Amino acid sequence: MRRRLAWQVLSAALDRRRVLYLGGGTMSALVYYAILGVQLAALGHRVPYLILLVTSQFAASVVVYPWYRLMVFRVSGSSWLLGSLRFYAVGLGFLAASVTGVPLLVELAGIPIMVAQALVIVVNVPLTYLVHRLWTFPARRKN
């Protein structure tokens, strides 16, 4: 009984979509961190970091949307425009969490910006997966 339950849990965790989502999430975080890190290094003393969070989020979303659409959720036949608008709407939710959570962690707890952003990402990953699966890229129903 325990082995069966363990196998079911492992099988669900290794589901193709979840593995690809994890890869996409890793890619998103790396793209986002690279953009944010470069911007902080180049502009951090002249531009408020909240603005850099916004521009980094937007740029990363534009770069990673095709991965989620084509590889993770394998959407075809529906509108790229509608899908991208939904994807970016979810990104706005993540951005709201970032521009709220990061300043709290940075200003009140004294955590560095990049570490604070990592903590916010860890909390948001499972939530964004569910929203993307159920709303952004819903499975088409077969009649």
Side-chain angles (χ1 to χ4, degrees):
M1 179 83 153
R2 287 184 183 173
R3 286 184 185 186
R4 179 184 239 178
L5 179 61
W7 176 251
Q8 289 174 339
V9 169
L10 180 62
S11 180
L14 295 177
D15 173 75
R16 179 196 143 295
R17 183 182 295 171
R18 287 187 182 104
V19 170
L20 287 172
Y21 182 79
L22 181 59
T26 301
M27 181 178 63
S28 297
L30 291 174
V31 168
Y32 176 82
Y33 267 49
I35 294 168
L36 181 59
V38 167
Q39 288 189 94
L40 284 169
L43 304 170
H45 299 291
R46 291 178 279 164
V47 178
Y49 69 88
L50 288 177
I51 292 174
L52 302 180
L53 293 176
V54 171
T55 58
S56 298
Q57 172 66 27
F58 176 75
S61 293
V62 169
V63 170
V64 301
Y65 171 69
W67 171 265
Y68 284 95
R69 180 178 174 90
L70 299 173
M71 299 302 295
V72 178
F73 296 101
R74 293 192 178 224
V75 175
S76 64
S78 64
S79 168
W80 271 74
L81 179 60
L82 180 59
S84 64
L85 291 174
R86 286 181 174 178
F87 186 82
Y88 301 136
V90 174
L92 288 175
F94 172 73
L95 181 60
S98 291
V99 298
T100 303
V102 171
L104 288 173
L105 293 169
V106 169
E107 305 301 330
L108 297 179
I111 297 174
I113 295 168
M114 296 295 276
V115 174
Q117 183 61 79
L119 294 172
V120 172
I121 287 173
V122 167
V123 171
N124 277 296
V125 167
L127 297 173
T128 57
Y129 174 78
L130 287 174
V131 174
H132 282 320
R133 186 173 61 107
L134 297 173
W135 184 65
T136 308
F137 304 106
R140 298 180 106 181
R141 294 185 182 187
K142 296 178 181 173
N143 294 330

